Amino acid sequence: MANRSLAKDHADTCVLVTGGAGFIGSHTVVELLARGYRVVVVDDLSNSSETALERVRTIAGLAPDDNRLVFYEDSILDRDALSRVFDAHDIDAIIHFAGFKAVGESVQKPLEYYWNNVAGTLVLCDVARAHNVKNIVFSSSATVYGEPEFCPITENCPKHDATNPYGWTKSMLEQVLSDLYVGDNEWNVVLLRYFNPIGAHESGLIGEDPKGIPNNLLPYVAQVAVGKLARVGVFGDDYPTPDGTGVRDYIHVVDLARGHVAALDWMGGKVGTGEARGLGSIAGEPAEDGTRRGVGIFNLGTGTGSSVLDVIHAFERACGHKIPYEIKPRRAGDIAENYASCDKARDELGWVAEYDLDRMCADSWRWQSANPDGYATA
Ligand code: UFG
């Protein structure tokens, strides 16, 4: 049976978003709805809140019973539950976010990470295939480059060994999804390698809501700014970077979300140089040279590196007061700098990040100050 076609109107296209109640997922659902897509969310709420989806409805102007957005509280490991979702909806494509994502925790709980992320994706793809759904956009990470061989990092930069199980799950799943296409050219796969997503929707209604003490820089800085934590620990000031602190490519989560919509449009041949590399144009037509024409790989970043101190100072401008910090030793496994070349996404997807670091911090602050305890206050 043929794969489902994406060459139709958005209003007729139903997208399954796994992990759609999470940080990046919820922002992506907003952007999909804004462009007229129908959305089905599957999320087990293990690290997210249904309140996020209620707020997505508010942002999108959808009544509680509007079935352009449907939610199922299910795990992607639950084959029967997933089958029921595919039976109930004519799903055309999948954007797959669901997965555990804490680097440090993954070292302590490798079995849980491999099981949830890898086995969960295998179940998802198997059920999707049984329903002739072979269009998938996968949430990958710049972590697959390991210590990058060059910066800015292009998609041709070789992958390196991951330094933790979380990173390995991303790397392994890229391989799994690529092999699906090699075995069956009807699969259309897009691997999106995110750099450092931060910020929040400009409404302040949805944002990042980490459980416990945040591991990542931005939520930590935001909680210091709002007075929940005393000071930011800056992990190392002796890196070979302009101010000695680590440099990353921070990207506004709304820009990132729009990158997913661009990837879907590209798959459907609606944007980009479709004939040459657009996935929609080559379904069922293997490339003669054996290249993986049905697997699109894109970095999603801004192309601009910012240091830890740049971030702290940008956040100070956003919140209007000083943010205390102290220099600490380097964190194990961190690299000095990591930023993207995003030319491929610009040229092929017609996508570029629009928002700068000040805007990211302003939106993050709006979310954090209005929701100091995240969705728990709702
Ligand atoms: N940092 C601090 N203090 C903190 C937290 C972080 O100084 O409290 C520094 C880090 O040393 C690093 C920078 O801030 O220089 C960013 O750290 P994050 O933890 O926010 O982000 P990472 O770049 O380490 O990790 C991110 C994602 C991972 C992904 C990784 C590789 O969170 O999912 O990028 O692409 F695997």
Side-chain angles (χ1 to χ4, degrees):
M1 286 278 280
N3 182 19
R4 296 185 66 95
S5 172
L6 286 174
K8 53 186 175 183
D9 290 346
H10 291 174
D12 299 324
T13 306
C14 180
V15 184
L16 170 64
V17 182
T18 73
F23 174 44
I24 305 172
S26 57
H27 288 81
T28 300
V29 174
V30 167
E31 297 303 317
L32 288 168
L33 292 171
R35 281 158 188 76
Y37 282 102
R38 309 177 72 83
V39 179
V40 173
V41 168
V42 168
D43 194 305
D44 67 2
L45 303 182
S46 60
N47 190 29
S48 59
S49 164
E50 195 175 350
T51 306
L53 291 176
E54 289 163 13
R55 294 184 176 188
V56 165
R57 281 186 180 277
T58 303
I59 293 167
L62 297 187
D65 61 346
D66 191 318
N67 67 5
R68 279 175 287 181
L69 173 60
V70 180
F71 169 58
Y72 293 90
E73 184 180 344
D74 285 315
S75 165
I76 54 169
L77 283 159
D78 186 340
R79 176 182 294 271
D80 293 340
L82 270 186
S83 290
R84 285 194 294 274
V85 172
F86 277 88
D87 287 342
H89 301 275
D90 283 333
I91 290 164
D92 296 292
I94 304 164
I95 303 181
H96 177 32
F97 294 106
F100 294 157
K101 62 173 186 178
V103 171
E105 183 185 61
S106 79
V107 177
Q108 306 304 320
K109 299 181 172 176
L111 195 52
E112 284 79 0
Y113 271 68
Y114 287 117
W115 186 249
N116 188 62
N117 294 9
V118 180
T121 303
L122 299 183
V123 172
L124 173 69
C125 291
D126 194 28
V127 174
R129 179 179 60 176
H131 289 80
N132 302 310
V133 180
K134 300 177 184 176
N135 303 307
I136 186 165
V137 177
F138 177 60
S139 168
S140 189
S141 167
T143 197
V144 301
Y145 297 113
E147 176 117 26
E149 291 194 8
F150 48 84
C151 263
I153 302 171
T154 67
E155 292 80 356
N156 293 327
C157 192
K159 287 170 72 170
H160 282 305
D161 283 357
T163 53
N164 55 76
Y166 158 79
W168 275 119
T169 68
K170 293 297 180 192
S171 201
M172 287 176 179
L173 288 168
E174 285 199 349
Q175 188 67 42
V176 167
L177 293 169
S178 301
D179 287 342
L180 278 183
Y181 170 74
V182 173
D184 173 357
N185 292 147
E186 288 204 342
W187 278 93
N188 295 324
V189 175
V190 174
L191 309 175
L192 298 179
R193 294 176 175 164
Y194 312 153
F195 282 69
N196 289 58
I198 63 167
H201 190 265
E202 64 176 350
S203 64
L205 287 174
I206 57 174
E208 188 167 14
D209 182 20
K211 287 199 163 68
I213 306 281
N215 300 304
N216 296 114
L217 180 63
L218 242 294
Y220 203 103
V221 170
Q223 292 197 12
V224 172
V226 84
K228 289 184 70 181
L229 295 168
R231 64 183 58 79
V232 182
V234 174
F235 298 147
D237 67 350
D238 57 352
Y239 284 107
T241 60
D243 67 17
T245 66
V247 167
R248 296 291 182 274
D249 186 340
Y250 296 94
I251 174 171
H252 197 298
V253 65
V254 171
D255 276 328
L256 190 69
R258 289 174 182 161
H260 293 73
V261 181
L264 270 190
D265 285 345
W266 183 75
M267 266 183 158
K270 296 188 181 74
V271 294
T273 52
E275 283 308 306
R277 286 197 275 174
L279 295 176
S281 64
I282 55 131
E285 182 191 303
E288 284 178 10
D289 63 1
T291 55
R292 293 168 172 174
R293 288 200 303 174
V295 182
I297 302 178
F298 299 98
N299 289 336
L300 295 184
T302 63
T304 301
S306 303
S307 73
V308 176
L309 296 182
D310 289 337
V311 169
I312 291 173
H313 295 320
F315 214 96
E316 287 174 335
R317 289 192 289 277
C319 71
H321 59 79
K322 285 280 175 202
I323 295 183
Y325 66 86
E326 64 182 326
I327 307 298
K328 294 255 185 83
R330 291 183 181 191
R331 183 171 67 178
D334 274 353
I335 56 178
E337 65 172 3
N338 183 351
Y339 56 93
S341 161
C342 304
D343 294 355
K344 190 177 176 205
R346 181 196 63 206
D347 295 346
E348 287 289 320
L349 304 181
W351 171 91
V352 286
E354 290 176 26
Y355 299 128
D356 65 11
L357 185 62
D358 279 322
R359 172 65 187 265
M360 299 179 216
C361 291
D363 286 340
S364 177
W365 172 242
R366 192 175 303 111
W367 153 254
Q368 187 69 53
S369 51
N371 305 271
D373 297 316
Y375 294 113
T377 45

mmCIF file of all heavy atoms in Angstrom, residues 101 103 141-143 166 194 196 215-217 220 232-235 246 248 250 308 331 334 338, ligand 1:
data_model
loop_
_atom_site.group_PDB
_atom_site.id
_atom_site.type_symbol
_atom_site.label_atom_id
_atom_site.label_comp_id
_atom_site.label_asym_id
_atom_site.label_seq_id
_atom_site.Cartn_x
_atom_site.Cartn_y
_atom_site.Cartn_z
ATOM 1 N N LYS A 101 15.004 13.571 27.830
ATOM 2 C CA LYS A 101 15.994 14.495 27.264
ATOM 3 C C LYS A 101 17.043 15.024 28.222
ATOM 4 O O LYS A 101 17.810 15.910 27.865
ATOM 5 C CB LYS A 101 15.264 15.671 26.635
ATOM 6 C CG LYS A 101 14.459 16.476 27.642
ATOM 7 C CD LYS A 101 13.880 17.728 27.009
ATOM 8 C CE LYS A 101 13.205 18.584 28.056
ATOM 9 N NZ LYS A 101 12.663 19.821 27.528
ATOM 10 N N VAL A 103 20.406 15.035 29.882
ATOM 11 C CA VAL A 103 21.706 14.422 29.614
ATOM 12 C C VAL A 103 22.239 13.676 30.842
ATOM 13 O O VAL A 103 22.601 12.499 30.765
ATOM 14 C CB VAL A 103 22.701 15.508 29.154
ATOM 15 C CG1 VAL A 103 24.116 14.961 29.087
ATOM 16 C CG2 VAL A 103 22.272 16.089 27.810
ATOM 17 N N SER A 141 19.316 16.261 17.344
ATOM 18 C CA SER A 141 20.054 17.229 18.153
ATOM 19 C C SER A 141 21.455 17.423 17.603
ATOM 20 O O SER A 141 22.066 16.491 17.052
ATOM 21 C CB SER A 141 20.159 16.695 19.585
ATOM 22 O OG SER A 141 21.111 17.429 20.327
ATOM 23 N N ALA A 142 21.973 18.611 17.818
ATOM 24 C CA ALA A 142 23.368 18.886 17.462
ATOM 25 C C ALA A 142 24.322 18.012 18.264
ATOM 26 O O ALA A 142 25.507 17.934 17.934
ATOM 27 C CB ALA A 142 23.681 20.353 17.711
ATOM 28 N N THR A 143 23.805 17.343 19.270
ATOM 29 C CA THR A 143 24.653 16.456 20.064
ATOM 30 C C THR A 143 25.246 15.336 19.205
ATOM 31 O O THR A 143 26.285 14.767 19.550
ATOM 32 C CB THR A 143 23.852 15.886 21.257
ATOM 33 O OG1 THR A 143 24.754 15.354 22.218
ATOM 34 C CG2 THR A 143 22.886 14.805 20.839
ATOM 35 N N TYR A 166 21.570 9.663 26.319
ATOM 36 C CA TYR A 166 20.611 10.527 25.623
ATOM 37 C C TYR A 166 21.113 10.812 24.200
ATOM 38 O O TYR A 166 20.386 10.674 23.215
ATOM 39 C CB TYR A 166 20.421 11.843 26.397
ATOM 40 C CG TYR A 166 19.902 12.963 25.533
ATOM 41 C CD1 TYR A 166 18.552 13.025 25.204
ATOM 42 C CD2 TYR A 166 20.762 13.930 25.016
ATOM 43 C CE1 TYR A 166 18.081 14.038 24.374
ATOM 44 C CE2 TYR A 166 20.302 14.936 24.193
ATOM 45 C CZ TYR A 166 18.955 14.981 23.878
ATOM 46 O OH TYR A 166 18.502 15.969 23.049
ATOM 47 N N TYR A 194 18.588 20.119 16.268
ATOM 48 C CA TYR A 194 18.404 21.380 16.988
ATOM 49 C C TYR A 194 19.698 21.790 17.663
ATOM 50 O O TYR A 194 20.402 20.968 18.236
ATOM 51 C CB TYR A 194 17.375 21.255 18.113
ATOM 52 C CG TYR A 194 16.078 20.602 17.774
ATOM 53 C CD1 TYR A 194 15.353 19.953 18.776
ATOM 54 C CD2 TYR A 194 15.547 20.641 16.488
ATOM 55 C CE1 TYR A 194 14.141 19.364 18.512
ATOM 56 C CE2 TYR A 194 14.323 20.053 16.215
ATOM 57 C CZ TYR A 194 13.632 19.399 17.222
ATOM 58 O OH TYR A 194 12.431 18.809 16.973
ATOM 59 N N ASN A 196 20.385 25.079 20.481
ATOM 60 C CA ASN A 196 19.904 25.243 21.869
ATOM 61 C C ASN A 196 18.594 26.026 21.909
ATOM 62 O O ASN A 196 18.618 27.259 21.922
ATOM 63 C CB ASN A 196 20.976 25.944 22.708
ATOM 64 C CG ASN A 196 22.182 25.063 22.981
ATOM 65 O OD1 ASN A 196 22.824 24.587 22.054
ATOM 66 N ND2 ASN A 196 22.474 24.827 24.238
ATOM 67 N N ASN A 215 18.690 21.813 34.407
ATOM 68 C CA ASN A 215 20.030 21.418 33.967
ATOM 69 C C ASN A 215 20.581 22.404 32.955
ATOM 70 O O ASN A 215 21.789 22.584 32.846
ATOM 71 C CB ASN A 215 19.982 20.039 33.290
ATOM 72 C CG ASN A 215 19.478 18.973 34.215
ATOM 73 O OD1 ASN A 215 20.025 18.783 35.289
ATOM 74 N ND2 ASN A 215 18.425 18.275 33.801
ATOM 75 N N ASN A 216 19.689 22.998 32.193
ATOM 76 C CA ASN A 216 20.132 23.846 31.078
ATOM 77 C C ASN A 216 20.244 25.303 31.510
ATOM 78 O O ASN A 216 19.608 25.742 32.465
ATOM 79 C CB ASN A 216 19.156 23.718 29.904
ATOM 80 C CG ASN A 216 19.140 22.306 29.358
ATOM 81 O OD1 ASN A 216 18.146 21.607 29.449
ATOM 82 N ND2 ASN A 216 20.260 21.863 28.820
ATOM 83 N N LEU A 217 21.056 26.035 30.770
ATOM 84 C CA LEU A 217 21.397 27.401 31.187
ATOM 85 C C LEU A 217 20.176 28.313 31.286
ATOM 86 O O LEU A 217 19.987 28.984 32.300
ATOM 87 C CB LEU A 217 22.418 27.987 30.203
ATOM 88 C CG LEU A 217 22.849 29.420 30.520
ATOM 89 C CD1 LEU A 217 23.570 29.483 31.872
ATOM 90 C CD2 LEU A 217 23.753 29.965 29.414
ATOM 91 N N TYR A 220 17.684 27.931 34.079
ATOM 92 C CA TYR A 220 18.366 28.237 35.340
ATOM 93 C C TYR A 220 18.443 29.758 35.538
ATOM 94 O O TYR A 220 18.087 30.299 36.597
ATOM 95 C CB TYR A 220 19.774 27.615 35.365
ATOM 96 C CG TYR A 220 20.294 27.402 36.763
ATOM 97 C CD1 TYR A 220 20.301 26.141 37.341
ATOM 98 C CD2 TYR A 220 20.732 28.485 37.533
ATOM 99 C CE1 TYR A 220 20.748 25.953 38.648
ATOM 100 C CE2 TYR A 220 21.168 28.313 38.835
ATOM 101 C CZ TYR A 220 21.179 27.041 39.388
ATOM 102 O OH TYR A 220 21.608 26.859 40.682
ATOM 103 N N VAL A 232 23.536 32.011 39.308
ATOM 104 C CA VAL A 232 23.892 31.096 38.226
ATOM 105 C C VAL A 232 25.326 30.635 38.422
ATOM 106 O O VAL A 232 26.208 31.458 38.693
ATOM 107 C CB VAL A 232 23.784 31.810 36.846
ATOM 108 C CG1 VAL A 232 24.095 30.840 35.721
ATOM 109 C CG2 VAL A 232 22.419 32.451 36.668
ATOM 110 N N GLY A 233 25.577 29.346 38.295
ATOM 111 C CA GLY A 233 26.945 28.849 38.238
ATOM 112 C C GLY A 233 27.387 28.844 36.778
ATOM 113 O O GLY A 233 26.705 28.259 35.936
ATOM 114 N N VAL A 234 28.466 29.536 36.497
ATOM 115 C CA VAL A 234 28.978 29.572 35.122
ATOM 116 C C VAL A 234 30.044 28.477 35.023
ATOM 117 O O VAL A 234 31.087 28.558 35.685
ATOM 118 C CB VAL A 234 29.570 30.959 34.790
ATOM 119 C CG1 VAL A 234 30.228 30.955 33.414
ATOM 120 C CG2 VAL A 234 28.496 32.037 34.892
ATOM 121 N N PHE A 235 29.775 27.493 34.205
ATOM 122 C CA PHE A 235 30.632 26.306 34.181
ATOM 123 C C PHE A 235 31.875 26.521 33.313
ATOM 124 O O PHE A 235 31.932 26.095 32.168
ATOM 125 C CB PHE A 235 29.846 25.093 33.680
ATOM 126 C CG PHE A 235 28.680 24.712 34.553
ATOM 127 C CD1 PHE A 235 27.531 24.163 33.999
ATOM 128 C CD2 PHE A 235 28.726 24.884 35.933
ATOM 129 C CE1 PHE A 235 26.454 23.794 34.796
ATOM 130 C CE2 PHE A 235 27.651 24.527 36.743
ATOM 131 C CZ PHE A 235 26.515 23.985 36.176
ATOM 132 N N GLY A 246 31.506 29.099 27.667
ATOM 133 C CA GLY A 246 31.062 28.256 26.554
ATOM 134 C C GLY A 246 30.156 29.007 25.586
ATOM 135 O O GLY A 246 29.338 29.831 26.000
ATOM 136 N N ARG A 248 27.301 28.799 22.542
ATOM 137 C CA ARG A 248 26.264 27.952 21.947
ATOM 138 C C ARG A 248 25.425 28.767 20.978
ATOM 139 O O ARG A 248 25.405 29.996 21.035
ATOM 140 C CB ARG A 248 25.331 27.392 23.044
ATOM 141 C CG ARG A 248 25.989 26.472 24.043
ATOM 142 C CD ARG A 248 26.395 25.140 23.433
ATOM 143 N NE ARG A 248 26.985 24.243 24.429
ATOM 144 C CZ ARG A 248 28.271 24.242 24.775
ATOM 145 N NH1 ARG A 248 29.126 25.107 24.222
ATOM 146 N NH2 ARG A 248 28.722 23.378 25.669
ATOM 147 N N TYR A 250 21.960 29.631 20.432
ATOM 148 C CA TYR A 250 20.611 29.639 21.020
ATOM 149 C C TYR A 250 19.599 30.040 19.955
ATOM 150 O O TYR A 250 19.821 30.990 19.211
ATOM 151 C CB TYR A 250 20.564 30.609 22.213
ATOM 152 C CG TYR A 250 21.481 30.160 23.322
ATOM 153 C CD1 TYR A 250 22.795 30.645 23.406
ATOM 154 C CD2 TYR A 250 21.072 29.212 24.247
ATOM 155 C CE1 TYR A 250 23.672 30.201 24.398
ATOM 156 C CE2 TYR A 250 21.941 28.766 25.244
ATOM 157 C CZ TYR A 250 23.228 29.257 25.309
ATOM 158 O OH TYR A 250 24.090 28.808 26.286
ATOM 159 N N VAL A 308 28.023 32.140 27.614
ATOM 160 C CA VAL A 308 27.203 32.092 28.833
ATOM 161 C C VAL A 308 27.008 33.507 29.384
ATOM 162 O O VAL A 308 25.895 33.898 29.772
ATOM 163 C CB VAL A 308 27.855 31.180 29.904
ATOM 164 C CG1 VAL A 308 27.053 31.199 31.195
ATOM 165 C CG2 VAL A 308 27.994 29.753 29.387
ATOM 166 N N ARG A 331 31.954 21.856 33.389
ATOM 167 C CA ARG A 331 31.051 20.704 33.538
ATOM 168 C C ARG A 331 31.552 19.585 32.619
ATOM 169 O O ARG A 331 31.857 19.833 31.441
ATOM 170 C CB ARG A 331 29.634 21.126 33.146
ATOM 171 C CG ARG A 331 28.582 20.059 33.320
ATOM 172 C CD ARG A 331 27.184 20.618 33.113
ATOM 173 N NE ARG A 331 26.942 21.027 31.733
ATOM 174 C CZ ARG A 331 25.792 21.508 31.275
ATOM 175 N NH1 ARG A 331 24.770 21.658 32.099
ATOM 176 N NH2 ARG A 331 25.645 21.853 30.020
ATOM 177 N N ASP A 334 31.212 19.007 28.499
ATOM 178 C CA ASP A 334 30.914 20.222 27.727
ATOM 179 C C ASP A 334 32.012 20.517 26.719
ATOM 180 O O ASP A 334 33.189 20.224 26.959
ATOM 181 C CB ASP A 334 30.773 21.423 28.674
ATOM 182 C CG ASP A 334 29.377 21.563 29.235
ATOM 183 O OD1 ASP A 334 28.478 20.823 28.793
ATOM 184 O OD2 ASP A 334 29.191 22.417 30.132
ATOM 185 N N ASN A 338 29.908 25.690 19.848
ATOM 186 C CA ASN A 338 29.012 24.850 19.078
ATOM 187 C C ASN A 338 27.981 25.778 18.438
ATOM 188 O O ASN A 338 27.135 26.328 19.130
ATOM 189 C CB ASN A 338 28.329 23.890 20.080
ATOM 190 C CG ASN A 338 27.405 22.899 19.432
ATOM 191 O OD1 ASN A 338 27.117 22.990 18.252
ATOM 192 N ND2 ASN A 338 26.927 21.952 20.212
HETATM 193 N N1 UFG B 1 25.929 26.311 31.605
HETATM 194 C C1 UFG B 1 26.348 27.027 32.706
HETATM 195 N N2 UFG B 1 25.605 26.932 33.841
HETATM 196 C C2 UFG B 1 24.477 26.178 33.938
HETATM 197 C C3 UFG B 1 24.063 25.449 32.791
HETATM 198 C C4 UFG B 1 24.809 25.540 31.645
HETATM 199 O O1 UFG B 1 27.357 27.727 32.645
HETATM 200 O O2 UFG B 1 23.854 26.139 35.014
HETATM 201 C C5 UFG B 1 26.679 26.452 30.339
HETATM 202 C C6 UFG B 1 27.219 25.161 29.786
HETATM 203 O O3 UFG B 1 28.479 24.878 30.303
HETATM 204 C C7 UFG B 1 27.227 25.477 28.288
HETATM 205 C C8 UFG B 1 26.039 26.411 28.100
HETATM 206 O O4 UFG B 1 25.771 26.952 29.384
HETATM 207 O O5 UFG B 1 28.397 26.190 27.941
HETATM 208 C C9 UFG B 1 24.780 25.722 27.604
HETATM 209 O O6 UFG B 1 24.478 24.623 28.443
HETATM 210 P P1 UFG B 1 23.059 23.880 28.362
HETATM 211 O O7 UFG B 1 23.065 22.814 29.405
HETATM 212 O O8 UFG B 1 21.954 24.877 28.396
HETATM 213 O O9 UFG B 1 23.050 23.274 26.904
HETATM 214 P P2 UFG B 1 24.078 22.249 26.225
HETATM 215 O O10 UFG B 1 24.676 22.962 25.066
HETATM 216 O O11 UFG B 1 24.994 21.610 27.172
HETATM 217 O O12 UFG B 1 23.049 21.102 25.804
HETATM 218 C C10 UFG B 1 22.184 21.297 24.741
HETATM 219 C C11 UFG B 1 20.906 20.476 24.938
HETATM 220 C C12 UFG B 1 21.185 19.026 24.836
HETATM 221 C C13 UFG B 1 22.010 18.707 23.635
HETATM 222 C C14 UFG B 1 23.239 19.548 23.621
HETATM 223 C C15 UFG B 1 24.138 19.293 22.446
HETATM 224 O O13 UFG B 1 20.338 20.751 26.196
HETATM 225 O O14 UFG B 1 19.945 18.370 24.717
HETATM 226 O O15 UFG B 1 22.852 20.911 23.603
HETATM 227 O O16 UFG B 1 23.639 19.843 21.302
HETATM 228 F F1 UFG B 1 22.361 17.402 23.629
#
